[in-house]
């Protein structure tokens, strides 16, 4: 399976198309979030890459696990495990407007693309450690793909 990345135009457009396939009636295959909550969660994750959402520092042992996980996902081209813990700042457990949330996610994707094209992505992630542009593109694609599969698109 080839490595997909938000930095590849075809992969970027694939993610956009899949987001547009979601509907307010899309049902999750696992997890607690509904479709609108999932899209806001994905929006928040992209905001981390844009530097507009700051996540807290993590205990050094968790950072080691995060760095190893980043390399393991990259080395084996794995997906993200289901029901994995996440930062409190990106947990969405409240009602969201479907259309507004989807539009915001698509706008955030465009912001992400612009940041990448202008080499404005952060050099560090609190959990994954040192980040290269290719790390961001790969991991952001994997995260979006994971949640879109959660909702069968």
């Amino acid at each position: 399976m080839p490595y997909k990345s938000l930095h590849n135009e075809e992969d970027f457009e694939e993610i956009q198309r899949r987001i547009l396939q979601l509907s307010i009636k899309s049902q999750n295959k696992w997890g607690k979030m509904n479709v609108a909550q999932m899209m806001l969660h994905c929006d928040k994750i992209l905001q981390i890459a844009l530097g507009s959402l700051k996540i807290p520092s993590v205990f050094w042992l968790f950072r080691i696990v995060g760095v190893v996980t980043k390399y393991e996902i990259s080395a084996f081209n794995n997906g993200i495990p289901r029901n994995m813990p996440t930062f409190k700042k990106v947990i969405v457990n409240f009602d969201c407007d479907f259309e507004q949330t989807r539009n915001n996610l698509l706008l955030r994707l465009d912001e992400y693309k612009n940041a990448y094209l202008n080499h404005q992505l952060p050099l560090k992630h609190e959990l994954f450690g040192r980040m290269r542009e290719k790390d961001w593109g790969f991991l952001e694609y994997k995260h979006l793909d994971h949640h879109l599969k959660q909702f069968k698109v």
Side-chain angles (χ1 to χ4, degrees):
M1 174 191 215
Y3 283 79
K4 294 197 172 192
S5 170
L6 284 187
H7 302 171
N8 176 315
E9 189 63 32
E10 289 177 15
D11 299 337
F12 185 88
E13 290 173 3
E14 169 210 323
I15 291 293
Q16 288 177 312
R17 280 191 306 273
R18 289 168 66 191
I19 290 168
L20 289 169
Q21 289 174 15
L22 293 167
S23 79
I24 197 163
K25 294 181 181 181
S26 295
Q27 294 294 311
N28 58 353
K29 294 190 323 190
W30 72 83
K32 297 177 184 175
M33 292 184 289
N34 66 35
V35 66
Q37 292 168 329
M38 175 275 290
M39 289 189 294
L40 180 55
H41 166 75
C42 289
D43 184 332
K44 289 175 175 275
I45 296 295
L46 286 167
Q47 289 177 45
I48 294 169
L50 293 168
S52 57
L53 180 66
K54 303 291 184 203
I55 51 177
S57 295
V58 297
F59 182 64
W60 65 269
L61 186 58
F62 293 126
R63 186 169 297 125
I64 291 171
V65 171
V67 170
V68 169
T69 300
K70 175 182 76 172
Y71 286 111
E72 185 262 336
I73 291 171
S74 295
F76 299 105
N77 199 13
N78 291 355
I80 296 171
R82 294 178 181 181
N83 300 312
M84 201 171 140
T86 192
F87 291 94
K88 287 182 182 180
K89 280 191 164 188
V90 298
I91 292 173
V92 180
N93 54 11
F94 50 86
D95 290 334
C96 309
D97 177 82
F98 175 84
E99 289 297 331
Q100 179 183 5
T101 306
R102 180 166 62 182
N103 290 339
N104 288 345
L105 177 56
L106 292 168
L107 286 172
R108 201 77 60 228
L109 271 170
D110 287 337
E111 288 177 28
Y112 175 87
K113 183 178 184 178
N114 187 52
Y116 160 65
L117 292 173
N118 290 296
H119 307 287
Q120 295 173 331
L121 297 174
L123 300 175
K124 181 184 173 207
H125 186 281
E126 288 301 328
L127 180 62
F128 298 128
R130 181 176 171 268
M131 294 287 283
R132 299 167 295 181
E133 284 184 340
K134 74 177 199 171
D135 297 326
W136 282 112
F138 177 74
L139 291 172
E140 292 295 342
Y141 176 90
K142 284 292 190 180
H143 183 258
L144 287 160
D145 178 63
H146 167 79
H147 284 295
L148 291 168
K149 285 178 179 174
Q150 178 184 11
F151 286 86
K152 305 173 195 152
V153 295

